[in-house]
Amino acid sequence: MTFPLIGYYTHYHGFGHQRRAEAILAHVRNPAWVISSRMNPRDWCVPPGTQFLDLPCDDEDLLEEGLTRSGDVPGVHYVPLWAPNCRQRIADYTAWMATERPSLVVVDVSVEISLLTRMATIPQIVMRQHGQRDDDAHENAYHAAERLLAPFPEMLEDDITPEWVRQKTLYLGGFARSVAPVSRVEARDQLQLSNEERVVVVMTGRGGHARTPSQIVEAARATQDWQWHVIGGIEEHDADSSPDNVTWHGWVSNPEVYINACDVLVTAAGHNSVMEAGRDRVRMIAIPEDRPFREQERKVAVLDREQLAIGQTQWPEPQHWPALLEQAMQLDLSRWDAVFNGNGAEQAARLIEEIADWSADRFQQIDQPASGVMA
């Protein structure tokens, strides 16, 4: 049996888009191409036979004058001038569509890729993210899509989302990358932490962070009865001024162990970080980092509204940390059960296959010679 071909575009910033694609593609039966930039296929955990299109990156080798013109056009987000990489990126992507003739492309996320796909007459599914996305460019991408996918259930919808976007959206059960489950006892044993210790883990990702070592040091000094463990991109610190209850780990290969070992996780509101903590039923204090379209700010507001995390608008002052940690300890972790109601990655895969089949049937109709016409 021949299956329709699927393209899956993932944005290259951070690891979140890649992890989401990996989780969904694990359930997709159709042959697929992964499309992105700065890719190393060996870093991807996808089904055998998946192919890769590595596009030139659109933010390299730019003239400063051309970059200042990148926001000139309201209907798109990023159109610099005099950028050979962008020109080649468009050429490579459109050549791939013409040659491979995909039935469907999943776009996570790029307005420019979305509009190119629609101009090539190929149906698409656009992944949604939290944030204030009522600008012309986002609305163009949403209108161009056959369906929108929200990688979260409807209970996590933002109050500011317009009704027409909601109506076009398929909401998914929560999902996160697949890792071997680890219990709190196992995690603490691996990290050589006693069961009596009260542990805070501060986690940052690769998408950029605004935390500073001094902020963490001040918070730890205000909470001497807690042990603070810092993982991720914050590695620089002054060891002489760091109190005894702070340990700096830098990048770790097993963040899930630290997450499961802690009593409270302090994290930015990146989608995958939040979903992994929720999957493992970990109490969270969520503090937004600066992202376009107020993405993390809006997500924190939703998490706080649903009492899934203690939401803060910015890094708290030191004197507030003792009460915040105690407040986090009172969170009812059973509220996450409604978020992880069903396998969201598998739900996404079924929709992708359904629309790919529908589209392939339409393409096949126009590829067939009309009845009675000589070949």
Side-chain angles (χ1 to χ4, degrees), residues 23 48 71 184 201 296 300-301 308 336:
R184 183 177 187 274
V201 167
Q296 293 201 9
V300 165
L308 295 168
W336 282 100

Side-chain angles (χ1 to χ4, degrees), residues 46-241:
V46 290
T50 302
Q51 300 187 71
F52 295 86
L53 174 64
D54 194 1
L55 298 176
C57 198
D58 55 6
D59 68 351
E60 296 175 350
D61 302 324
L62 299 175
L63 290 175
E64 185 62 32
E65 183 182 358
L67 182 59
T68 63
R69 301 285 302 278
S70 62
D72 283 356
V73 184
V76 289
H77 283 146
Y78 184 77
V79 281
L81 289 174
W82 312 295
N85 276 11
C86 293
R87 184 168 59 238
Q88 190 62 49
R89 175 185 178 87
I90 293 169
D92 290 354
Y93 181 58
T94 53
W96 173 82
M97 288 190 287
T99 302
E100 299 299 331
R101 302 168 70 187
S103 298
L104 174 72
V105 175
V106 181
V107 182
D108 181 10
V109 287
S110 164
V111 168
E112 291 71 41
I113 291 293
S114 173
L115 297 183
L116 283 171
T117 303
R118 183 57 187 260
M119 285 188 288
T121 78
I122 296 170
Q124 65 188 289
I125 294 173
V126 169
M127 193 70 68
R128 281 189 51 205
Q129 300 181 106
H130 281 99
Q132 187 169 350
R133 301 182 187 270
D134 56 356
D135 56 283
D136 289 344
H138 270 109
E139 291 198 352
N140 283 344
Y142 291 171
H143 282 299
E146 288 301 311
R147 290 293 298 274
L148 305 174
L149 272 181
F152 49 82
E154 193 168 5
M155 64 178 287
L156 296 186
E157 182 59 273
D158 196 327
D159 298 334
I160 66 175
T161 302
E163 184 61 27
W164 73 268
V165 174
R166 298 176 188 232
Q167 291 297 322
K168 203 169 186 176
T169 298
L170 174 67
Y171 296 93
L172 305 174
F175 64 95
R177 69 189 178 110
S178 178
V179 295
V182 55
S183 69
R184 183 177 187 274
V185 172
E186 293 170 329
R188 291 210 167 197
D189 184 59
Q190 288 187 40
L191 299 179
Q192 299 182 331
L193 300 173
S194 72
N195 288 330
E196 293 73 30
E197 289 181 82
R198 307 184 84 191
V199 176
V200 181
V201 167
V202 180
M203 180 171 67
T204 60
R206 291 189 185 274
H209 56 82
R211 315 287 175 251
T212 66
S214 62
Q215 288 176 319
I216 296 171
V217 164
E218 290 170 358
R221 285 192 175 127
T223 53
Q224 288 293 321
D225 53 340
W226 289 81
Q227 293 296 316
W228 289 66
H229 292 262
V230 186
I231 63 174
I234 301 181
E235 299 184 52
E236 297 180 5
H237 59 280
D238 183 352
D240 293 334
S241 66

Side-chain angles (χ1 to χ4, degrees), residues 285-304:
I285 296 174
I287 307 172
E289 293 186 345
D290 187 21
R291 293 291 184 272
F293 310 105
R294 302 171 62 205
E295 178 184 344
Q296 293 201 9
E297 177 186 340
R298 296 305 310 170
K299 188 189 296 292
V300 165
V302 171
L303 293 171
D304 191 74

Side-chain angles (χ1 to χ4, degrees), residues 4 14 19 25 31 47 54 61 68 83 104 128 132 171 201 252 256 258 268 279 327 353-354 361-362:
R19 297 297 183 228
L25 288 172
D54 194 1
D61 302 324
T68 63
L104 174 72
R128 281 189 51 205
Q132 187 169 350
Y171 296 93
V201 167
V252 297
E256 65 279 357
Y258 291 83
R279 174 200 60 199
Q327 187 180 356
E353 291 172 348
E354 175 187 331
D361 180 66
R362 301 309 188 271

